[in-house]
Amino acid sequence: MIEVRGLTMRYGRTLAVDDLTFTVKPGLVTGFLGPNGAGKSTTMRVVLGLEVPAAGEALVDGRAYASLRRPMLTMGALLDAGAVHGGRTARAHLGCLARSNGIDLRRVAAVLDQVGLADVADRRIGGFSLGMKQRLGIAAALLGDPAVLMFDEPLNGLDPEGIRWIRELLRSLAAEGRTVLLSSHLMNELAITADHVVVIGRGRLIADTTMEALAARFQRDVLVRAAHPERLAQILRAHGATVAAETAATAERAAPPPPGTPGTPGTPRSAPPTPETAAGGDPSVQGLSEQELSAQGLSERGLSLHGLSVRGMDAAGIGELALRAGIALRELTPRSASLEEAFMELTEDSVEYGARPAAAVTEVGR
Ligand SMILES: Nc1ncnc2c1ncn2[C@@H]1O[C@H](COP(=O)(O)OP(=O)(O)OP(=O)(O)O)[C@@H](O)[C@H]1O
């Protein structure tokens, strides 16, 4: 477990960490998020005893890291993969670390194997790529078989295969009951990898929550396609939900970004097209502007194709009401903001979200 309590850290006039408190629990992968300069690396350096805070404390399994006699057995950390002696081989580097921490030298071969560097163990680190150096840094962190692991931006420099590898490694380490903290700028990767997230901005805590709760907090709506949408809309409204027609505009906003665009959604945003929509849909609805749609009123058939955007009720509740009414559902998709969007919203200085486009929905069922 890592406990950060009332931590404050200054560099001259810069308040890098401001009365920060959070706990990183065992058995979970915890993501540490924050914009540039938020104080993530500073917090990690204080945890490692590399900086002395102005106030507060950071404890690893109840002890200050600096007070541990053989610290690598308690916590393994990777802060800067480049900070290694380039003239040494990977095996010699890990051997030095093992000897200075009283770690059995057989662990060196074991961790080299674990991170996929066994074949290059006797090459000089100076010739390693950034990705290989990241793997070596992870091997060093694992050397003492510690119960607590902390990585600063471990995904930097890794190719997609490397990112998948580290994601699986972190998940397996947490599944073994270890405490795993990683900072990252790659929100999408954190969304897939982390169970819990600590978000900071300007050195202060912004959110300390499960990834699931974060997704629920930023849940936009549930997309519903049903056989009798008008009737279902009325029932849902009668039970307190807000129901709007899904238009081409809302569907486009909710669609996943094109490949390569940062910000993969946390939950699926749109279902595969039905044979009808794939074939071009109802010409009386498709291609019309929102104003035209609301002026004309949406046809039952148009609504069943494009669907309903439902807020204020979860998918299970909607499904239950539809079942009771005997209305067949063709689609029921909860749609969340991507973690990227959630992160931007959380860390934005102003609560006002001025840049967000006006809602392109039309009320239904009244
Ligand atoms: N050694 C230092 N001397 C002076 N200021 C520093 C030092 N280290 C960090 N800072 C300042 O402290 C603040 C927090 O920096 P820190 O590196 O901890 O943020 P971060 O969240 O890790 O950022 P990034 O994601 O860009 O690495 C920043 O304003 C930074 O400029």
Side-chain angles (χ1 to χ4, degrees):
M1 188 185 293
I2 301 173
E3 292 162 276
V4 171
R5 293 190 200 140
L7 200 70
T8 297
M9 178 75 207
R10 290 175 201 280
Y11 294 106
R13 284 190 181 167
T14 306
L15 187 56
V17 180
D18 185 5
D19 195 19
L20 186 61
T21 297
F22 65 90
T23 300
V24 188
K25 297 195 183 88
L28 301 173
V29 176
T30 299
F32 196 23
L33 274 182
N36 288 332
K40 305 180 295 293
S41 300
T42 303
T43 303
M44 289 180 157
R45 284 201 301 271
V46 175
V47 172
L48 278 172
L50 299 173
E51 306 272 11
V52 180
E57 60 181 356
L59 302 176
V60 181
D61 281 349
R63 305 263 310 268
Y65 186 84
S67 74
L68 298 170
R69 205 168 57 83
R70 292 159 74 197
M72 288 182 81
L73 273 61
T74 302
M75 180 168 80
L78 167 64
L79 284 199
D80 180 0
V84 278
H85 192 311
R88 282 199 190 126
T89 66
R91 194 188 306 281
H93 170 67
L94 294 175
C96 275
L97 290 174
R99 269 189 293 275
S100 60
N101 273 267
I103 296 168
D104 188 331
L105 282 174
R106 279 175 296 187
R107 284 288 301 159
V108 172
V111 294
L112 281 167
D113 201 37
Q114 194 175 356
V115 303
L117 290 180
D119 290 346
V120 293
D122 297 310
R123 281 206 216 151
R124 289 185 197 282
I125 302 165
F128 278 16
S129 67
L130 180 54
M132 287 162 82
K133 284 183 185 163
Q134 293 281 35
R135 286 178 187 250
L136 182 62
I138 291 164
L142 296 171
L143 199 58
D145 197 17
V148 184
L149 289 148
M150 186 172 77
F151 303 112
D152 196 6
E153 301 277 354
L155 306 170
N156 273 359
L158 293 180
D159 56 21
E161 198 282 315
I163 289 177
R164 195 170 61 225
W165 166 76
I166 196 165
R167 186 164 68 220
E168 280 159 18
L169 175 74
L170 296 177
R171 297 214 60 83
S172 69
L173 291 167
E176 289 166 7
R178 297 177 211 255
T179 302
V180 181
L181 178 68
L182 81 149
S183 73
S184 176
H185 283 112
L186 299 175
M187 313 303 167
N188 306 336
E189 280 308 320
L190 274 192
I192 306 167
T193 312
D195 310 287
H196 198 95
V197 65
V198 172
V199 185
I200 64 169
R202 295 186 180 178
R204 290 192 172 190
L205 187 72
I206 294 176
D208 180 356
T209 183
T210 62
M211 213 42 110
E212 215 173 19
L214 192 69
R217 184 165 152 194
F218 286 88
Q219 179 162 325
R220 283 206 192 105
D221 63 358
V222 180
L223 172 65
V224 184
R225 286 183 225 266
H228 302 289
E230 283 282 1
R231 191 147 66 85
L232 181 61
Q234 275 168 5
I235 293 166
L236 296 176
R237 290 191 69 89
H239 285 80
T242 303
V243 185
E246 174 82 0
T247 66
T250 51
E252 193 178 312
R253 271 218 323 278
T261 307
T264 304
T267 51
R269 292 174 182 215
S270 57
T274 62
E276 288 161 307
T277 53
D282 182 346
S284 69
V285 174
Q286 282 217 337
L288 294 182
S289 72
E290 183 199 343
Q291 287 78 8
E292 286 168 315
L293 284 170
S294 52
Q296 292 182 12
L298 286 163
S299 68
E300 180 90 348
R301 176 166 158 72
L303 274 181
S304 72
L305 282 178
H306 287 263
L308 304 170
S309 159
V310 181
R311 290 171 191 259
M313 189 177 290
D314 64 11
I318 297 165
E320 189 74 28
L321 289 173
L323 178 69
R324 268 196 253 154
I327 297 173
L329 291 181
R330 294 173 183 158
E331 183 179 351
L332 195 58
T333 307
R335 300 188 293 193
S336 299
S338 69
L339 182 61
E340 195 114 4
E341 291 164 323
F343 170 74
M344 302 250 298
E345 205 164 319
L346 277 174
T347 55
E348 216 174 35
D349 282 342
S350 156
V351 180
E352 199 76 45
Y353 203 55
R356 180 167 279 186
V361 289
T362 40
E363 288 294 311
V364 170
R366 268 200 202 275

